[in-house]
Amino acid sequence: MLASPNRDRRTERREATKAEIVDAAWELCRAHGLAGLSLRDLAKKVGMQAPSLYSYFASKNDIYDAMFAQGCREFASGQPAIDELLAIGPLAGLKKLCHFFVAFCTADPVRYQLMFQRTIPGFEPSPESFAISMAGMQEMLRWFEAAGINAPGAADMYTAIGTGLTDQQISNDPGGDRWIRLVDDAMDMFFNHIQAKQQAPKGKRKR
């Protein structure tokens, strides 16, 4: 029999504790808001003294960074794949992609605020965490290009529509679907606008 590689149990325990801290931080933020995260309450929730948290995270912003990275990985794992979107055509693909985005964001408003808004004064994701976020954006841009949605500003307009619907839904109809129901119509208008823009004679295209 082949010998099993030696396990680094100390590292495993450390990573498990860090994951427990991050999970507890999400719970507290969902209860009290992102800016309301208290290290004292967080330490109490995981059964340690507040100074002990610094053995795992250098600062509160490092905890936010771990939360940000976790949210970005969840987003990337659920985002429809390029091949899946290409198979159903540009307009249907836009609708599927936007429905995913709005559903993901409205399912957890605190996660949405951390990932897509500047809710925490002074917080910037680390380069490593931001790279995870950008990977999802680059995947979307690759699909836009493959689907022929390449008018100047198309991606910016698309993300503005998605976040606008999300903000309205979270702010004005939490738990409902008043603005979620508008996704298909919004994508119809967006697609028609982009198609007209791309088909217009070059000299008549508006920036």
Side-chain angles (χ1 to χ4, degrees):
M1 294 180 60
L2 295 174
S4 300
N6 292 330
R7 293 172 55 187
D8 187 344
R9 297 182 184 276
R10 179 176 295 181
T11 299
E12 289 178 3
R13 287 195 297 271
R14 177 177 177 79
E15 291 304 311
T17 301
K18 290 178 69 173
E20 182 183 2
I21 292 170
V22 170
D23 288 345
W26 280 119
E27 289 185 36
L28 289 173
C29 286
R30 286 166 184 142
H32 306 294
L34 279 169
L37 179 62
S38 160
L39 294 184
R40 179 177 298 177
D41 291 344
L42 179 57
K44 182 178 179 180
K45 192 167 184 65
V46 296
M48 62 176 65
Q49 297 297 314
S52 299
L53 290 173
Y54 294 105
S55 299
Y56 300 94
F57 295 97
S59 66
K60 185 189 289 189
N61 276 357
D62 278 357
I63 297 173
Y64 286 132
D65 188 64
M67 295 165 68
F68 179 91
Q70 184 185 81
C72 291
R73 285 191 292 268
E74 291 169 350
F75 184 89
S77 68
Q79 184 170 256
I82 290 178
D83 289 346
E84 179 183 354
L85 297 173
L86 287 174
I88 59 177
L91 179 55
L94 278 170
K95 292 178 179 180
K96 187 176 185 67
L97 195 63
C98 194
H99 271 293
F100 163 73
F101 177 81
V102 175
F104 177 88
C105 295
T106 55
D108 191 338
V110 168
R111 182 178 60 186
Y112 167 68
Q113 290 169 354
L114 181 61
M115 291 176 60
F116 298 106
Q117 298 181 328
R118 293 183 176 272
T119 307
I120 306 300
F123 169 70
E124 294 285 345
S126 66
E128 295 80 9
S129 295
F130 189 66
I132 302 172
S133 173
M134 287 306 298
M137 174 62 74
Q138 291 302 321
E139 186 78 356
M140 184 198 80
L141 293 176
R142 282 193 292 271
W143 174 70
F144 266 47
E145 186 64 29
I149 304 170
N150 50 29
D156 287 347
M157 183 180 293
Y158 166 80
T159 56
I161 293 169
T163 54
L165 291 170
T166 296
D167 287 343
Q168 288 281 54
Q169 186 60 58
I170 290 173
S171 299
N172 298 302
D173 187 31
D177 67 350
R178 181 177 172 184
W179 277 269
I180 293 173
R181 294 199 310 265
L182 302 179
V183 167
D184 286 350
D185 286 347
M187 289 299 98
D188 282 333
M189 289 188 290
F190 170 74
F191 185 71
N192 290 337
H193 170 73
I194 294 300
Q195 287 289 93
K197 192 173 184 180
Q198 293 180 175
Q199 292 170 5
K202 190 173 182 179
K204 295 184 179 180
R205 292 180 187 176
K206 296 180 181 180
R207 294 184 177 274

